[in-house]
Amino acid sequence: MRQPPVLSLKPGGTLRLQCQLQTDGAGVSIDGWQIDCWLRTPQGRHVASLTVRPMDSAHGRYELSAEPAQTRGWPLGELMADVRYRDTTGRVMHTATFALCVLEAITTPEP
């Protein structure tokens, strides 16, 4: 069985993932689509909903993000996610599941 891709982040870090929906290497228009991405613990507890920002809808480009104030409270360890698309006809599709590993920060300035 293939392992899901792993990304890492430390609490209080900024998360920015540049994404593009493609078919046969070409961008697919996501105009009018609903796009969602949730992070969950391996036990299924919802941790966060990432912000989805269209960058170039005509070519399927969007950004998934979370600000430091959000990531500060994320639990250490592995979180799982996928991206859910709902097109203008109501069809629902999901990406492959991916893992985000939240690691302990080493360099933490005094307040």
Side-chain angles (χ1 to χ4, degrees):
M1 183 172 181
R2 187 170 164 245
Q3 292 292 88
V6 177
L7 306 169
S8 63
L9 181 77
K10 297 195 177 180
T14 302
L15 178 67
R16 297 265 187 276
L17 301 174
Q18 304 298 312
C19 305
Q20 183 179 28
L21 180 62
Q22 298 180 351
T23 186
D24 297 325
V28 174
S29 175
I30 54 173
D31 284 327
W33 287 32
Q34 178 182 341
I35 302 174
D36 299 294
C37 182
W38 296 355
L39 295 173
R40 292 186 183 273
T41 65
Q43 296 76 31
R45 183 177 64 82
H46 181 266
V47 171
S49 298
L50 298 182
T51 299
V52 178
R53 184 170 66 114
M55 304 298 283
D56 179 358
S57 294
H59 295 101
R61 292 187 182 101
Y62 61 95
E63 178 182 81
L64 299 174
S65 65
E67 298 302 320
Q70 295 170 278
T71 68
R72 193 169 290 119
W74 291 1
L76 298 179
E78 189 174 77
L79 300 176
M80 305 305 290
D82 61 11
V83 179
R84 178 187 180 272
Y85 303 103
R86 184 176 183 273
D87 71 12
T88 56
T89 68
R91 185 174 60 157
V92 174
M93 300 150 280
H94 289 85
T95 65
T97 299
F98 62 93
L100 175 71
C101 189
V102 181
L103 305 169
E104 184 175 357
I106 305 303
T107 304
T108 55
E110 295 297 319

